[in-house]
Amino acid sequence: MSDKHKAIFLDRDGTIIEDSGYISRPDQIKFIPGSIEAIKLLKEAGFKVFVITNQSGVARGYFSEDMLQTIDKVMHRHILNGGTHLDGIYYCPHHPEHGVYPYKQECDCRKPQTGLIKKAVKEHNVDIAQSFMIGDHSCDMEAGANAGLKTLFLLTGHGEKEQSKVKHKPIHTAKNLLEAVKWLLAQ
Ligand SMILES: [Mg+2]
């Protein structure tokens, strides 16, 4: 009965904020220039906007799940202060080889697997056909493609070194999130 929503799935590190390794404290959050503006443009264009992020630093013991949630809250506060918002932040704290149970496990949510995207799709009634995944890593492109999304690739973060590893060709490659979003909204 309810309408389906078009959505953008964004990676976090190297896409919205700088990827400085494993971010383990809120004061390490540094926004990539233009990324809050990009989220604002997407919201104004009627997209739901979700973050889909691998955070194996939890499994590896670099930071706790509580700290991860604090970091995400602080990031979102900055986004709210910028006059826009995210519709959800979905993270995978697992790793198949590192850490201890329950974080050490073969999960279905660590990108390139699709568990987190599928969860957001279900919880928010997302129309896959009108939706996109954007990120700086080959696993983002694969997760997006595996979930049936069109993908956009970024040269921020790990983008430069990951570009040759991307198997599923994105519909567009951009120098950063804002450029990617402007391109997408001009189509
Ligand atoms: Mg990334």
Side-chain angles (χ1 to χ4, degrees):
M1 53 163 255
S2 56
D3 287 341
K4 286 198 162 194
H5 303 285
K6 58 183 181 178
I8 304 290
F9 298 90
L10 299 175
D11 171 50
R12 194 191 83 177
D13 303 341
T15 295
I16 298 173
I17 59 177
E18 303 280 2
D19 191 340
S20 54
Y22 294 90
I23 293 171
S24 57
R25 298 191 317 265
D27 64 3
Q28 293 169 325
I29 294 169
K30 188 167 178 275
F31 281 85
I32 293 171
S35 61
I36 296 179
E37 174 68 14
I39 293 165
K40 200 174 198 172
L41 291 173
L42 290 171
K43 291 305 301 171
E44 286 168 1
F47 286 95
K48 295 258 185 190
V49 181
F50 304 105
V51 168
I52 303 289
T53 179
N54 286 354
Q55 293 294 333
S56 72
V58 174
R60 294 170 198 266
Y62 298 159
F63 46 86
S64 67
E65 192 166 358
D66 277 354
M67 178 53 80
L68 172 60
Q69 290 175 359
T70 297
I71 291 164
D72 284 342
K73 263 183 217 148
V74 171
M75 179 182 79
H76 198 227
R77 197 181 308 141
H78 286 295
I79 292 169
L80 291 170
N81 288 342
T84 189
H85 70 276
L86 298 168
D87 295 284
I89 299 176
Y90 295 82
Y91 63 83
C92 168
H94 307 119
H95 194 280
E97 290 151 32
H98 298 287
V100 293
Y101 184 83
Y103 296 121
K104 180 183 176 183
Q105 62 159 287
E106 296 274 358
C107 62
D108 67 356
C109 57
R110 179 173 164 81
K111 294 176 289 186
Q113 298 179 93
T114 57
L116 297 180
I117 296 171
K118 284 182 176 158
K119 189 168 185 226
V121 164
K122 195 172 174 190
E123 289 181 354
H124 294 269
N125 202 23
V126 169
D127 182 1
I128 294 270
Q130 291 190 76
S131 300
F132 303 83
M133 173 85 208
I134 307 179
D136 68 307
H137 200 281
S138 54
C139 73
D140 298 317
M141 300 300 95
E142 289 177 41
N146 289 341
L149 301 166
K150 289 178 276 296
T151 59
L152 286 86
F153 187 68
L154 304 181
L155 297 174
T156 45
H158 292 277
E160 301 269 0
K161 69 176 169 57
E162 281 291 314
Q163 195 170 18
S164 63
K165 300 179 195 163
V166 174
K167 290 184 221 149
H168 292 96
K169 194 173 154 51
I171 60 166
H172 185 66
T173 296
K175 69 175 185 183
N176 59 41
L177 181 59
L178 183 56
E179 294 293 312
V181 165
K182 283 181 176 170
W183 180 87
L184 187 60
L185 296 179
Q187 300 309 298

